[in-house]
Amino acid sequence: MKKVKKSKKLIAALLASLMVLSTAACSNGENQSGTSQQSGTNSSAAGETSSVETSDTGEEGTYDTHVDLSWYKEGITGHEINYDGDAYGQFWQDKFNVTFDLTAATMDDSDWNERLRIWINSGDMPDVAHWGFNYGELADYAAQDAVYRFPDDWKERWPNVAASQEYVPGAAVAEEKLGGTYVLFRTIFANHRPSERLSYHALLYMRKDWMEACGVEIKDTYSPSELEEIATKFKEMDPGNVGSQLVPISIRTYDVPKIYPGTVFPESINVGDGYYKDENGQFQWAPADERTLEGLEKYQNLYTSGLLDPEFYTLTRYEGTEKFYIGGTAGIVLDDGMGYMIQSRMEDGLQKNLGLDPDEALHIAQLVGEDGKYYYREDMNFYGAIIFSPDITDEQFERAMDILDFCCTEEGQEIINMGFEGEDWELDENGEYVSLLPNEITGNASSILGSKYPSADVFFGGIILGDDFQFVTPNYTKETRDIISHFYELRDELSDETTLLPREYDYEFYSSRAKTQANMDLSEEYAQLILKDGDLETNWRNWVDEKMQLVQPLLDELNQQ
């Protein structure tokens, strides 16, 4: 990677001290939704506009000058990166006359985003970097020229990328506040939006065979009290003969608040930090509300009763879920409700790892509140973002944007998600996609496409995510696609503005020293409270008093805007 000028390094040193105080928003990758295939579709998003394919020779789609691009991407660890090893990786290199110097990161904030912070602050960031996104950090970077500022006319040059940003309300907010474009948001849904109001896709995965053995009703939704009743039966009856390893409910720290206190008082987990506007339009901090305490009491009881995994506080991204489909010791988990999780991990995992028939062993359901309503917040329709080095050359930037623009076309979408027409897929007489690949995941692959082309599992990542294409890809069964659609529609049906909370853009795209100082991870804070010795209510009140010393100055600022 290239080094920046000494003056920028001095500025970066000052930034480093400030960045220590901040953490990336939604660091566990949620407010932006999870996905397995990093992809893009844009045929309808961009209307009939074709992609801009510039060239050194003036011929469309050809490049005389070779370009090297260092590229940072999360979620692709555990696989060899070799774009010369198969036709899929070679396609991208040949089409754009480019070599990718790809660096992989896990999806954990301490690895993915923290490494990038260090690189940015030391003036050594890759040419192109995927990032978890934090507006406060972006504002600081932009003010110090620590990341690349797009040309003012970039939307005309790359119309498909520009169209993808129109689906993300926050993109226009960020551009207006910063006076220009410094980031590309990775859009979740464009051509195949599943519902008008976008909800987060977390679903319950439950051992159907255990439920039937315990006489539990199989249905679409379960409230927290119903989950506790089911988990208690699992604990008492041990229908899977797991013995001392049995874990009735295994959910990591980040996701437990979706149950408690989220279903009691959804504002308590709103936007990650708990800030929301009351009926008078004034910002309040939900963790200080008595209803949050009520939810935390239920959270603590879930733990002390032995229903929640005793290791929940130390579980990494997929460890809790893996106890379900690899270890076979967990009865209920809560995780992403997307195609890769349903088909590639759950169904395939239960069959391969445990020898179980998914039709008999797996039940998928939606978590709801005690009133049967769905509780959470509207999704921002993006997961992560892409930023560029301030020292990227014009040629490198243009080539990278040409690649991303192509990724947003219909052709790019099809290649990213299904491979090559006529060889890996075709259209039937009804114009529906039909896969020509074996419907199985083999070897160390993470996907059906990756089974044939290993480089597909280490794809550099487009703008529009694979969440969008999952509704039409033949690499997921129709049953899987229907399940995903059903639960999006169900969440929309079971929610309103009081349960599926609107975004607070005035908070999320606000930057100040007070906000940086008040920043905290509520999932970690809540877990520490319920695990702390002593009386929970006393501990909570002391905690609120302590935190309000930092929170109140921020509330004052927000309410004076």
Side-chain angles (χ1 to χ4, degrees):
M1 301 175 200
K2 305 179 293 299
K3 301 287 184 181
V4 296
K5 299 175 184 178
K6 289 184 178 179
S7 61
K8 286 183 178 176
K9 286 189 176 181
L10 291 173
I11 292 171
L14 296 174
L15 267 177
S17 62
L18 176 61
M19 289 301 105
V20 169
L21 298 173
S22 63
T23 57
C26 298
S27 61
N28 289 275
E30 171 187 301
N31 153 32
Q32 307 123 321
S33 273
T35 179
S36 61
Q37 299 174 337
Q38 316 304 326
S39 64
T41 341
N42 201 27
S43 55
S44 64
E48 299 300 319
T49 306
S50 61
S51 65
V52 175
E53 298 182 13
T54 60
S55 68
D56 303 310
T57 64
E59 298 177 24
E60 185 175 345
T62 62
Y63 300 86
D64 285 344
T65 304
H66 184 80
V67 166
D68 292 317
L69 287 172
S70 55
W71 203 292
Y72 185 54
K73 176 70 175 66
E74 88 293 349
I76 58 172
T77 54
H79 301 280
E80 179 186 4
I81 299 174
N82 180 16
Y83 275 38
D84 294 322
D86 57 54
Y88 186 91
Q90 199 63 55
F91 166 82
W92 297 100
Q93 295 186 126
D94 292 347
K95 180 174 179 62
F96 294 98
N97 195 8
V98 63
T99 296
F100 294 98
D101 177 12
L102 198 59
T103 300
T106 67
M107 296 177 70
D108 289 332
D109 178 67
S110 59
D111 177 39
W112 172 22
N113 293 308
E114 187 59 30
R115 262 203 282 173
L116 185 56
R117 291 186 192 106
I118 293 170
W119 287 334
I120 293 174
N121 292 323
S122 64
D124 195 26
M125 75 171 287
D127 299 318
V128 186
H130 288 237
W131 177 42
F133 183 74
N134 176 292
Y135 179 74
E137 290 185 24
L138 179 62
D140 288 331
Y141 294 151
Q144 302 295 341
D145 295 324
V147 294
Y148 183 82
R149 186 188 190 280
F150 285 39
D152 290 338
D153 63 349
W154 76 268
K155 294 178 182 178
E156 288 71 40
R157 174 74 181 272
W158 295 285
N160 297 304
V161 173
S164 74
Q165 301 302 283
E166 294 177 4
Y167 292 102
V168 181
V173 178
E175 184 177 8
E176 180 181 0
K177 284 183 171 291
L178 297 174
T181 301
Y182 291 86
V183 64
L184 295 175
F185 293 91
R186 302 190 69 216
T187 310
I188 298 174
F189 296 117
N191 298 333
H192 307 287
R193 190 182 183 104
S195 58
E196 181 59 32
R197 293 177 304 143
L198 293 178
S199 56
Y200 183 59
H201 51 69
L203 291 174
L204 294 164
Y205 296 92
M206 311 170 74
R207 282 296 297 266
K208 182 179 179 181
D209 49 346
W210 294 8
M211 296 168 73
E212 291 176 336
C214 294
V216 173
E217 180 184 2
I218 305 297
K219 57 179 185 174
D220 268 355
T221 64
Y222 294 93
S223 68
S225 63
E226 290 175 317
L227 292 181
E228 292 185 45
E229 181 181 347
I230 296 169
T232 299
K233 290 184 177 181
F234 288 170
K235 182 181 177 182
E236 294 174 348
M237 300 175 66
D238 189 12
N241 297 314
V242 178
S244 61
Q245 291 183 303
L246 174 63
V247 182
I249 300 174
S250 187
I251 302 175
R252 62 178 176 146
T253 302
Y254 185 78
D255 287 319
V256 179
K258 293 183 178 68
I259 301 177
Y260 296 130
T263 59
V264 175
F265 185 39
E267 286 84 350
S268 63
I269 54 173
N270 191 32
V271 199
D273 294 330
Y275 295 90
Y276 71 100
K277 286 181 180 176
D278 63 18
E279 62 277 9
N280 299 315
Q282 293 293 294
F283 273 100
Q284 304 293 340
W285 192 54
D289 192 288
E290 296 283 341
R291 288 169 289 183
T292 297
L293 173 60
E294 178 187 347
L296 291 177
E297 290 171 341
K298 295 176 181 294
Y299 185 165
Q300 187 177 66
N301 182 66
L302 189 68
Y303 174 73
T304 57
S305 64
L307 300 181
L308 179 62
D309 194 329
E311 300 176 336
F312 85 97
Y313 188 66
T314 63
L315 296 175
T316 57
R317 177 62 184 89
Y318 292 115
E319 281 184 336
T321 304
E322 286 171 351
K323 292 184 180 184
F324 185 89
Y325 69 87
I326 295 179
T329 57
I332 301 170
V333 296
L334 178 72
D335 214 312
D336 294 343
M338 312 307 285
Y340 83 95
M341 179 60 71
I342 295 172
Q343 188 167 312
S344 303
R345 288 184 182 265
M346 291 297 179
E347 295 179 347
D348 190 67
L350 287 170
Q351 191 167 36
K352 287 185 176 180
N353 300 315
L354 302 173
L356 297 171
D357 181 348
D359 290 337
E360 298 178 358
L362 176 64
H363 179 58
I364 302 174
Q366 182 63 56
L367 171 68
V368 295
E370 297 298 337
D371 58 359
K373 294 286 188 179
Y374 171 71
Y375 286 87
Y376 206 52
R377 60 176 182 266
E378 281 196 66
D379 198 89
M380 293 182 76
N381 201 27
F382 77 88
Y383 173 76
I386 297 176
I387 51 178
F388 298 82
S389 167
D391 290 332
I392 194 171
T393 67
D394 289 345
E395 187 172 45
Q396 287 175 314
F397 175 73
E398 290 171 3
R399 193 69 56 87
M401 288 295 288
D402 285 353
I403 294 169
L404 293 174
D405 201 75
F406 175 75
C407 288
C408 290
T409 65
E410 184 174 13
E411 180 185 0
Q413 167 72 23
E414 292 168 343
I415 293 171
I416 289 167
N417 288 283
M418 300 185 297
F420 305 104
E421 185 176 10
E423 182 175 349
D424 303 316
W425 61 274
E426 63 185 8
L427 293 173
D428 65 15
E429 62 276 9
N430 298 317
E432 301 289 333
Y433 293 120
V434 177
S435 178
L436 302 178
L437 298 174
N439 188 28
E440 62 178 343
I441 299 173
T442 59
N444 191 42
S446 299
S447 64
I448 289 175
L449 192 60
S451 296
K452 179 176 181 180
Y453 306 112
S455 64
D457 281 340
V458 289
F459 179 54
F460 55 83
I463 293 291
I464 303 178
L465 300 179
D467 304 47
D468 188 73
F469 201 74
Q470 70 179 334
F471 294 103
V472 295
T473 179
N475 290 334
Y476 292 143
T477 64
K478 184 178 186 303
E479 180 183 15
T480 295
R481 300 196 303 267
D482 288 346
I483 289 172
I484 300 166
S485 297
H486 168 69
F487 281 109
Y488 267 104
E489 293 167 1
L490 181 63
R491 287 190 293 270
D492 193 50
E493 177 186 332
L494 297 178
S495 62
D496 55 39
E497 287 189 357
T498 67
T499 67
L500 183 59
L501 303 177
R503 305 303 302 202
E504 301 289 3
Y505 289 107
D506 289 342
Y507 167 77
E508 294 178 76
F509 288 86
Y510 179 75
S511 176
S512 74
R513 181 177 179 81
K515 183 179 179 183
T516 300
Q517 291 178 327
N519 185 57
M520 70 190 77
D521 183 339
L522 283 182
S523 63
E524 294 287 335
E525 297 283 345
Y526 290 156
Q528 290 172 20
L529 278 170
I530 71 106
L531 292 171
K532 189 174 182 178
D533 291 337
D535 177 66
L536 175 59
E537 180 175 352
T538 301
N539 291 337
W540 172 76
R541 293 191 187 282
N542 290 337
W543 175 78
V544 169
D545 289 343
E546 175 190 345
K547 295 299 182 181
M548 285 302 294
Q549 296 178 50
L550 297 174
V551 169
Q552 192 59 56
L554 176 56
L555 287 174
D556 293 340
E557 287 184 0
L558 292 169
N559 288 323
Q560 290 172 4
Q561 289 188 89

